[in-house]
Amino acid sequence: MIPTALKTAYAAAAAHIDDTPFLKVPSVQRGRIVQWAVDYGLAGLIQSGQWDADFRWRYFEKPTGQYLEVLLSHSVVTVSQVAEPEKQPRDVRFRANRRLRNQGWLKGLPDPSGKVETLGVPHILLVHGHQDLNFAHLGLPNEDHAKGYLYRTPNLMQMPHEVAAPLYPIEDTDVEAVMTLKEEIDKWRRDNANDA
């Protein structure tokens, strides 16, 4: 369901940008519109019951806006666009605090703070392509931002998934009329075969 939601969001963002004249100026950041569409799509999956999870909107450390937090029974998922799939999103304070949560939950790794219970549930990143939707991964970010991920799934976009319906409905075809036309053409061809 995640690849389908991402594809739908990217298509909706592109259609919205194409249909809105003031979004065609060079200063528009297409990535922001894509991210809003992705957040809307993922929240919609949860609200519709397709994704058994909950969500909430959280303020960034510096309250410049809010981000979507998907609440699973065992972890928290946040969503980011990245240019390179093996790299974590830019290093910001709220994300750095969440990376610490993964350390104490992984078997065999020492607890970095000595207080695992205060760290909360593990943090998973859902990262997807920045300009194009050529990849999407779920990953456990490493505490050391430069080291990327403790674990990252294979590319979700290359896994089998449901294909979303097109943004615009497929033209309604009158099958009976098409069959009648086909029969008329076949009859005309038979009747005029000697003329050719």
Side-chain angles (χ1 to χ4, degrees):
M1 73 188 141
I2 290 174
T4 302
L6 291 173
K7 283 183 176 181
T8 302
Y10 272 69
H16 183 65
I17 292 167
D18 288 344
D19 293 344
T20 310
F22 74 85
L23 293 178
K24 295 181 182 181
V25 297
S27 61
V28 166
Q29 293 184 3
R30 182 182 180 277
R32 297 249 187 228
I33 295 169
V34 168
Q35 188 60 49
W36 296 332
V38 166
D39 287 349
Y40 178 80
L42 294 177
L45 281 178
I46 295 167
Q47 289 171 322
S48 70
Q50 293 177 64
W51 190 357
D52 185 20
D54 200 1
F55 72 93
R56 65 182 171 201
W57 298 99
R58 300 288 304 260
Y59 281 99
F60 292 104
E61 293 288 324
K62 294 182 178 179
T64 55
Q66 296 182 28
Y67 63 95
L68 176 68
E69 203 175 60
V70 177
L71 308 170
L72 302 175
S73 61
H74 51 73
S75 57
V76 172
V77 178
T78 59
V79 187
S80 293
Q81 294 178 73
V82 294
E84 299 175 46
E86 63 280 349
K87 293 188 177 180
Q88 288 186 36
R90 65 186 172 94
D91 199 15
V92 293
R93 193 175 311 146
F94 88 94
R95 200 174 288 123
N97 291 340
R98 295 197 179 286
R99 281 197 305 264
L100 290 173
R101 294 180 177 185
N102 294 334
Q103 309 312 306
W105 288 83
L106 297 171
K107 194 173 188 175
L109 292 178
D111 172 16
S113 68
K115 299 178 183 177
V116 173
E117 67 278 359
T118 63
L119 296 177
V121 296
H123 177 224
I124 298 172
L125 279 172
L126 169 56
V127 295
H128 55 91
H130 175 60
Q131 295 297 325
D132 297 307
L133 184 57
N134 52 4
F135 66 85
H137 298 275
L138 292 167
L140 287 170
N142 195 311
E143 174 186 10
D144 181 353
H145 180 263
K147 292 185 179 175
Y149 296 91
L150 296 168
Y151 172 79
R152 187 170 50 97
T153 65
N155 187 349
L156 301 176
M157 301 311 296
Q158 295 178 349
M159 299 176 80
H161 57 277
E162 181 180 341
V163 177
L167 288 175
Y168 304 101
I170 296 172
E171 182 180 327
D172 188 22
T173 303
D174 184 349
V175 175
E176 187 176 325
V178 170
M179 292 309 293
T180 302
L181 178 61
K182 181 182 180 307
E183 290 166 1
E184 288 176 14
I185 291 170
D186 287 342
K187 182 181 181 308
W188 181 87
R189 289 176 66 202
R190 281 190 308 272
D191 293 345
N192 298 294
N194 295 336
D195 296 342

